[in-house]
Amino acid sequence: MPSGETGVQEESRTRTARPPLFKVLLHNDDYTSMEFVVQVLETVFRKSPPEANRIMLNIHVKGMGVCGIYPHEIAETKAVRVRSLAKEEGFPLRCTLEEA
């Protein structure tokens, strides 16, 4: 060890960047039932019945609404699940992602 050094190494910390977040959006249409939208919000997004109804009415009135904000992989998985459920039931429900 060169003279003057104590032999103690300082720990350097690097911060991991948080992944970008994405909004999962449901879009209003003239065919998907309100009951189905509420069901999707409760099952896929784990919303309480009152919150699911509030979001559904927001989607109905404004044309689209935010169901949740997640990291990309989780948001994409939820969107795929919504599209799959809608297809199974014969509804044209659109579900998209938007960077938050």
Side-chain angles (χ1 to χ4, degrees):
M1 234 188 262
S3 65
E5 289 190 26
T6 61
V8 176
Q9 186 176 10
E10 289 188 32
E11 184 179 323
S12 65
R13 293 186 181 189
T14 57
R15 291 191 177 233
T16 305
R18 291 184 182 239
L21 298 176
F22 289 81
K23 297 177 190 175
V24 180
L25 305 168
L26 287 182
H27 299 261
N28 189 42
D29 61 63
D30 293 333
Y31 304 102
T32 305
S33 71
M34 293 179 174
E35 293 81 12
F36 179 75
V37 173
V38 169
Q39 178 187 344
V40 164
L41 290 165
E42 289 176 358
T43 58
V44 177
F45 298 97
R46 303 278 188 222
K47 302 297 182 186
S48 66
E51 188 175 12
N53 276 295
R54 183 188 58 76
I55 294 169
M56 177 274 298
L57 288 172
N58 187 52
I59 293 165
H60 182 70
V61 171
K62 295 186 177 178
M64 80 172 140
V66 177
C67 303
I69 301 174
Y70 308 95
H72 186 264
E73 287 183 5
I74 295 171
E76 187 62 41
T77 300
K78 289 188 179 287
V80 167
R81 179 79 176 124
V82 169
R83 291 181 200 123
S84 175
L85 289 170
K87 186 175 181 180
E88 286 174 18
E89 295 296 320
F91 291 122
L93 182 61
R94 281 186 58 217
C95 184
T96 60
L97 304 182
E98 178 181 288
E99 196 161 356

